[in-house]
Amino acid sequence: MQDRPEIARAVALLRAGELVAFPTETVYGLGADALNPAAVAKIFAAKGRPADHPLIVHLPDGTELDAWAREVPDAARKLAAAFWPGPLTLILKRQPHVPDAVTGGQDTVGLRVPNHPLALALLRAFHGGVAAPSANRYGRISPTSAAHVIAELGAAVQLVLDGGPCTVGIESTIVDLSGGTPRVLRPGAISAADIARVLGEALPTAATTSDTPRVAGSHAAHYAPSTPLRVVAGAQLADAIGAELSTGQHVAVLAHSAKPVVAKNLTWQAAPADAATYAHDLYATLRGLDEAAYDLLLIEAPPATPAWFAVADRLQRAACGSGEDDET
Ligand code: TXA
Ligand code: MG
């Protein structure tokens, strides 16, 4: 894999301070050499992202932890051993050489070893850290295929490594280990219970994201389509549909359990009933619904169970930001 010509080209671009988009198991990333502040600045320009939002540094393996973090608590080593490569980002105190451009000037750095053969081939061949946010314009739906990246960023990125559709489909779980107690800053495929099991201690769960402004995805508006989007409890769905249709709007419904309603100006789309498949499909589905240019997307609220926390989090933020041009 490392010998593939596109990997050599990607490494040459990274070394030259250019951007490369690459697949991970979660979403596609927009990568730059993490030790080159001018290259990292190009990421912010391409995304239209505020400069104080820190980036995750992607590493080829867990042995690199100490090169990037100056304090690596036991909990970090345990989580890295259990979940890397995989959809988990650890926030740790940074080594002094980690550029402010990457950390947003904070004293911490986000680190992750992604579980995708192309990403790992790139990282191994590059021999360094690749700073990469999701490869979408700021506030918009994250890309889960190479075509999504091109639709989002176009000419702003010289090379998109195409690794097919992402297997997980939503961004990594972020755990902050830079303070006393481990905290989940962003829910993802690895749950708080999975983490607690490895650490042998319970974590604060669920809505912990809301008071952590440094996590970009924790701003209310994020992952948003341009079409207005509402999340409605299954029991209220029929009433909500009736009310919206009565105003003459074209409405699309995405439902994972509610019984289909047939009506004029209503498009019904069934979503997977299990959380992992739902997450896998979510961004491509939102993108497709957005492109179809309905007046409104009504999404059946997911169950309030831990298995659905990450999906519920993304839907809630998509609902906040939808239909606006400027997300915060
Ligand atoms: O699955 C993922 O994590 C994907 C793939 C490409 O790895 N990346 C991703 O990056 O979702 P991004 O930039 O879209 O989201 C990373 C989040 C941001 O909300 C950022 O604020 C947070 O991680 N983050 C990064 N470094 C941090 C730090 N030092 N402290 C707190 N939050 C941090
Ligand atoms: Mg993102």
Side-chain angles (χ1 to χ4, degrees):
M1 182 80 70
Q2 254 161 280
D3 306 330
R4 284 167 54 161
E6 73 266 36
I7 295 291
R9 198 171 151 233
V11 168
L13 284 168
L14 290 176
R15 295 220 167 103
E18 299 299 335
L19 304 183
V20 171
F22 62 97
T24 81
E25 78 281 35
T26 59
V27 300
Y28 275 69
L30 179 62
D33 178 352
L35 293 181
N36 179 343
V40 171
K42 292 181 184 170
I43 294 177
F44 289 88
K47 277 185 68 98
R49 170 158 157 152
D52 64 346
H53 282 237
L55 304 176
I56 295 169
V57 177
H58 296 71
L59 305 173
D61 62 69
T63 61
E64 303 269 313
L65 260 177
D66 300 85
W68 294 84
R70 68 173 186 275
E71 276 174 34
V72 183
D74 263 4
R77 295 201 198 278
K78 282 187 190 160
L79 292 177
F83 297 116
W84 282 356
L88 179 72
T89 296
L90 303 178
I91 307 293
L92 295 166
K93 298 231 170 85
R94 69 162 160 177
Q95 287 285 11
H97 71 267
V98 182
D100 284 342
V102 170
T103 67
Q106 299 188 71
D107 193 33
T108 55
V109 62
L111 300 171
R112 162 165 130 80
V113 179
N115 189 16
H116 189 291
L118 267 184
L120 289 171
L122 174 67
L123 292 164
R124 283 174 191 143
F126 181 61
H127 295 302
V130 173
S134 51
N136 51 279
R137 305 247 341 133
Y138 180 64
R140 296 295 171 189
I141 305 169
S142 301
T144 53
S145 74
H148 295 168
V149 177
I150 291 160
E152 284 286 324
L153 300 172
V157 50
Q158 290 195 23
L159 176 63
V160 182
L161 294 175
D162 188 348
C166 301
T167 52
V168 173
I170 55 172
E171 302 79 358
S172 60
T173 306
I174 301 181
V175 184
D176 185 357
L177 295 168
S178 68
T181 340
R183 284 197 317 149
V184 175
L185 300 185
R186 180 175 70 184
I190 293 174
S191 69
D194 295 332
I195 292 162
R197 214 172 296 124
V198 169
L199 297 184
E201 63 175 301
L203 297 189
T205 48
T208 43
T209 40
S210 55
D211 64 348
T212 54
R214 290 298 183 173
V215 175
S218 78
H219 282 254
H222 227 74
Y223 316 115
S226 348
T227 315
L229 182 159
R230 283 179 54 203
V231 180
V232 181
Q236 269 102 58
L237 201 51
D239 284 352
I241 291 168
E244 299 293 355
L245 288 179
S246 72
T247 67
Q249 302 196 83
H250 283 64
V251 176
V253 173
L254 182 67
H256 63 274
S257 79
K259 278 233 295 290
V261 172
V262 179
K264 189 166 166 262
N265 291 342
L266 177 66
T267 300
W268 189 275
Q269 186 163 329
D274 79 282
T277 317
Y278 193 110
H280 173 271
D281 294 358
L282 176 61
Y283 291 144
T285 300
L286 286 181
R287 226 169 247 282
L289 289 169
D290 210 17
E291 276 159 18
Y294 298 102
D295 296 313
L296 177 69
L297 309 179
L298 285 180
I299 303 201
E300 182 187 358
T305 55
W308 287 87
F309 280 172
V311 163
D313 169 77
R314 302 312 190 274
L315 287 177
Q316 192 194 328
R317 296 182 202 296
C320 284
S322 63
E324 293 163 20
D325 287 333
D326 299 306
E327 277 77 37
T328 49

